[in-house]
Amino acid sequence: MGYSLCVLGCGTMGIAVLSGVIDSLDPVSTLSKSSNQPLKWESHTPGTLTPVVDASVPSRFIACVIREESAKKLRKVFSDLGPLGSTVEVLASKNLEAVQSADVVILCCKPQVAHKILSEPGIKEALDGKLLISILAGITLQQLTGWVLPTTRVVRAMPNTPCKIREGMTVVSTLEPSEHEETDRALILKIFSSIGRCRFLDEKHFDACTALSGSGPAFACIFMEAMADGGVMMGLPRAEALELAAQTLQGAARMVLQGGAHPAQIKDSVTTPGGCTIAGLLALEDGRVRSTIARCIQIATDRASELGQPAKK
């Protein structure tokens, strides 16, 4: 028998997480049905082996939003996922009812309203003895544990947008030793490994993870778009230039993740003496691309540390 999974504040990321979990449990994947291509690694390449534990599989899904208008849209989104998606209970302005019915709660609201939601009458008591997973950037474990009862097990998770296609990267805070630790770990891996890769790290690394994997897709798309622009500049049609750029980045990433190759090894393997690759690499170095990208992560990390914190006067 599974458990009841509730998503509080089911916006873009909440939809992505819940849809990914539902899709992974569907015998006939929506991703597979929507593609004319044979199944490939794109369908799902888990970074962590998920323990086969029945108790870690959710059997009931609840999604909470503020407005009924949003609830109607969500019902359509989930019903399009198939029979299992149609079972999702979408509630509007009924956070307490949802939390009372849940065994595991994923907090997906905006960081600035987290305290307000957890302070609603009855919510603290409804979370008693349950697992609360926060995916909120900038809201620390210290803050979260201060807003709930000591008996509520609180962890932080940081998934990124590609979890929509089950190619996400999720970092989860290390679990406190307890009688629930093994079960909670299996459950968390089941949720987040179903939508990509999942790793446990100390919370002190979360701001950097927010910048690197959370904001990273946007940074990668800037580089991808620039590559495509270069192709267009040299006469390639826009659509083909973008396809070449996207597949090239995807292939290079796969060589690192699946083959275990260091990026520098891949770079050197395609850089021949006096060739076009070394000419292009020198142009990148002239533009300080390497240090600019690294500084980008540094600045985004600093900004991530400010999210959810009181505004400085």
Side-chain angles (χ1 to χ4, degrees):
M1 184 66 180
Y3 61 92
S4 177
L5 177 64
C6 168
V7 176
L8 276 183
C10 198
T12 301
M13 188 55 71
I15 293 172
V17 172
L18 199 51
S19 296
V21 173
I22 290 171
D23 187 77
S24 73
L25 297 175
D26 193 330
V28 182
S29 169
T30 303
L31 291 175
S32 302
K33 290 184 291 185
S34 64
S35 174
N36 294 324
Q37 302 295 324
L39 284 176
K40 298 191 301 181
W41 61 263
E42 287 94 341
S43 296
H44 179 41
T45 306
T48 306
L49 293 178
T50 305
V52 182
V53 182
D54 290 341
S56 69
V57 179
S59 58
R60 181 184 178 189
F61 304 92
I62 307 171
C64 297
V65 291
I66 298 176
R67 296 180 295 274
E68 183 58 38
E69 180 182 356
S70 300
K72 290 180 180 178
K73 293 179 180 178
L74 272 191
R75 293 185 186 104
K76 175 63 168 61
V77 169
F78 292 129
S79 65
D80 288 345
L81 295 177
L84 188 57
S86 299
T87 67
V88 177
E89 302 166 44
V90 183
L91 306 178
S93 298
K94 295 182 180 179
N95 290 341
L96 179 58
E97 177 183 327
V99 175
Q100 288 174 331
S101 302
D103 300 303
V104 177
V105 176
I106 302 180
L107 188 62
C108 296
C109 63
K110 295 180 180 178
Q112 58 267 32
V113 299
H115 182 253
K116 179 181 178 181
I117 290 177
L118 295 178
S119 297
E120 289 180 17
I123 292 290
K124 184 181 292 188
E125 290 72 23
L127 285 168
D128 181 21
K130 298 178 179 179
L131 176 63
L132 175 65
I133 304 172
S134 167
I135 68 166
L136 309 185
I139 302 296
T140 66
L141 285 175
Q142 183 177 12
Q143 287 175 287
L144 290 165
T145 54
W147 298 338
V148 297
L149 296 174
T151 51
T152 301
R153 307 188 304 283
V154 181
V155 298
R156 287 183 66 188
M158 184 55 60
N160 62 1
T161 304
C163 69
K164 290 181 179 180
I165 59 168
R166 293 171 64 191
E167 281 297 333
M169 182 69 239
T170 302
V171 177
V172 181
S173 59
T174 50
L175 304 180
E176 294 292 332
S178 74
E179 60 180 306
H180 303 284
E181 182 180 359
E182 184 176 344
T183 301
D184 286 349
R185 178 179 291 271
L187 184 153
I188 290 168
L189 286 174
K190 190 68 174 182
I191 292 174
F192 294 109
S193 287
S194 72
I195 53 175
R197 292 173 176 261
C198 182
R199 288 287 179 265
F200 286 88
L201 279 175
D202 289 339
E203 189 190 19
K204 65 182 181 181
H205 299 299
F206 263 55
D207 292 333
C209 292
T210 299
L212 187 53
S213 64
S215 301
F219 307 149
C221 283
I222 286 287
F223 192 81
M224 187 191 309
E225 187 179 24
M227 287 179 66
D229 284 345
V232 172
M233 174 70 179
M234 301 314 296
L236 289 176
R238 170 63 65 178
E240 283 75 8
L242 184 57
E243 180 183 14
L244 265 64
Q247 180 60 36
T248 298
L249 290 177
Q250 178 174 256
R254 276 294 127 199
M255 291 178 74
V256 173
L257 292 173
Q258 291 186 333
H262 190 281
Q265 289 179 294
I266 300 172
K267 173 180 66 70
D268 289 349
S269 70
V270 296
T271 305
T272 55
C276 60
T277 304
I278 189 61
L281 287 171
L282 288 177
L284 289 176
E285 296 295 354
D286 289 343
R288 300 177 62 187
V289 170
R290 190 191 300 260
S291 63
T292 299
I293 293 173
R295 291 295 185 191
C296 161
I297 301 301
Q298 180 186 31
I299 292 171
T301 299
D302 291 340
R303 177 58 183 144
S305 67
E306 299 171 355
L307 297 177
Q309 304 306 311
K312 297 180 180 178
K313 296 183 178 179

